[in-house]
Amino acid sequence: MKKIFITGATDGLGFMAAEKLIEQGHQVVLHARNKTKAEIVHQKLPNAKAVVTGDLSSISQTYKIAEALNRLGTMDSVIHNAGVGFKEPYQETEDALPHVFAINSLAPYILSCLINKPKRLIYTSSGMHEQGDTKLEDLLWDKKKWNAAQAYSDTKLHNILLAFAVSKRWPDVFCNVVSPGWVATKMGGAHAPDDLEKAPETQIWLSSSEEKDVQISGQFLYHKRPKNYLSAANDTQLQDRFIDFCESLTLIKIP
């Protein structure tokens, strides 16, 4: 039995993963954006170990999520599942950051830095990362040039850069990144072509299995198998540039 934390667990793939892991007997800590969503998801999954609340678009609330989780002890696995989609309109957070960057890119960085180091880390990317900007020239995007699909693609590249950077810094942690596919969740839309049932399987497997095949790190996976990804993500200088930028915004370093 493992203790597993899942961000964005109130619906979609996060909820599906949580439901399966609880059925398997694991102690699952859920994350919800606010108290109302927390109450609803706890009613749906009453056997969850706990629910922590906080808006990942807010730096201060993301800090509090990490603090609340650490009070519950050290997790065996953390699944960074939360995210907003490729149709997200331009909007700024209370920290004057683009909403999509704050949730998709910066929140996983903050939580990675502040949560007690788990044994396993799973980040969530997308096939759209292949259209991500490998120059990292405009990480926060010019509002006048806003392109929602490009911004989303950029953040999904950021997730790979973060996962690979953390895997190098923490050789004692199994740290990987997953593409669940384009599936018919609220984010993906009703006409998404990939298999919804298979979409959370890799996250469940990496976070809970005792198979030797999960004892890997620095991998990009799709349906439990390595998948080709943008080769630029292997560039350690690019990884460090992203990490340094996140550090400059938050004033916290990866331990």
Side-chain angles (χ1 to χ4, degrees):
M1 180 175 66
K2 297 191 181 301
K3 292 170 66 176
I4 302 168
F5 175 56
I6 307 173
T7 66
T10 58
D11 57 24
L13 301 185
F15 180 88
M16 292 173 69
E19 186 174 39
K20 292 290 186 182
L21 287 164
I22 291 169
E23 288 175 359
Q24 292 173 9
H26 299 289
Q27 296 184 350
V28 180
V29 179
L30 312 172
H31 159 255
R33 187 168 70 245
N34 53 50
K35 289 184 178 180
T36 299
K37 286 183 173 293
E39 290 172 358
I40 292 171
V41 76
H42 206 211
Q43 289 173 359
K44 292 179 179 178
L45 299 174
N47 292 324
K49 179 178 175 61
V51 184
V52 297
T53 61
D55 189 338
L56 291 169
S57 72
S58 162
I59 291 175
S60 63
Q61 288 195 43
T62 304
Y63 270 67
K64 291 178 180 178
I65 291 169
E67 291 171 353
L69 186 67
N70 287 341
R71 286 195 291 270
L72 296 172
T74 300
M75 299 293 114
D76 292 301
S77 304
V78 173
I79 302 175
H80 291 285
N81 165 80
V84 291
F86 52 86
K87 297 181 181 180
E88 179 83 356
Y90 184 89
Q91 54 182 315
E92 288 189 357
T93 69
E94 63 184 37
D95 303 298
L97 298 172
H99 190 248
V100 66
F101 176 83
I103 293 178
N104 291 11
S105 301
L106 192 61
Y109 171 82
I110 296 172
L111 293 177
S112 298
C113 292
L114 299 179
I115 289 174
N116 294 336
K117 188 193 293 186
K119 297 173 183 176
R120 305 181 186 188
L121 273 168
I122 300 98
Y123 296 88
T124 305
S125 183
S126 160
M128 287 181 69
H129 83 275
E130 294 184 2
Q131 285 76 53
D133 175 21
T134 59
K135 295 181 180 179
L136 301 186
E137 289 180 342
D138 187 13
L139 280 161
L140 299 183
W141 307 292
D142 184 335
K143 181 178 180 180
K144 295 178 181 179
K145 299 177 181 177
W146 177 251
N147 181 307
Q150 183 61 57
Y152 177 81
S153 298
D154 290 355
T155 64
K156 295 295 100 178
L157 174 59
H158 300 164
N159 295 145
I160 303 176
L161 294 174
L162 176 59
F164 286 2
V166 172
S167 71
K168 290 181 176 66
R169 287 163 170 78
W170 293 350
D172 56 334
V173 174
F174 298 129
C175 176
N176 298 285
V177 59
V178 170
S179 174
W182 182 10
V183 293
T185 59
K186 182 170 64 177
M187 180 190 296
H191 302 293
D194 285 349
D195 189 329
L196 179 60
E197 291 302 314
K198 289 184 177 180
E201 286 183 355
T202 309
Q203 300 90 300
I204 293 168
W205 178 66
L206 287 173
S207 65
S208 63
S209 176
E210 293 299 333
E211 297 175 21
K212 288 185 178 180
D213 287 350
V214 305
Q215 297 177 18
I216 54 176
S217 202
Q219 299 292 311
F220 182 80
L221 301 168
Y222 171 74
H223 292 179
K224 299 184 182 181
R225 295 181 180 277
K227 184 175 175 60
N228 291 335
Y229 57 88
L230 204 60
S231 61
N234 293 319
D235 186 337
T236 56
Q237 291 185 337
L238 199 66
Q239 296 166 16
D240 289 344
R241 281 177 60 193
F242 176 70
I243 296 297
D244 290 346
F245 184 74
C246 292
E247 182 183 332
S248 73
L249 290 175
T250 61
L251 303 180
I252 56 174
K253 290 186 176 184
I254 297 177

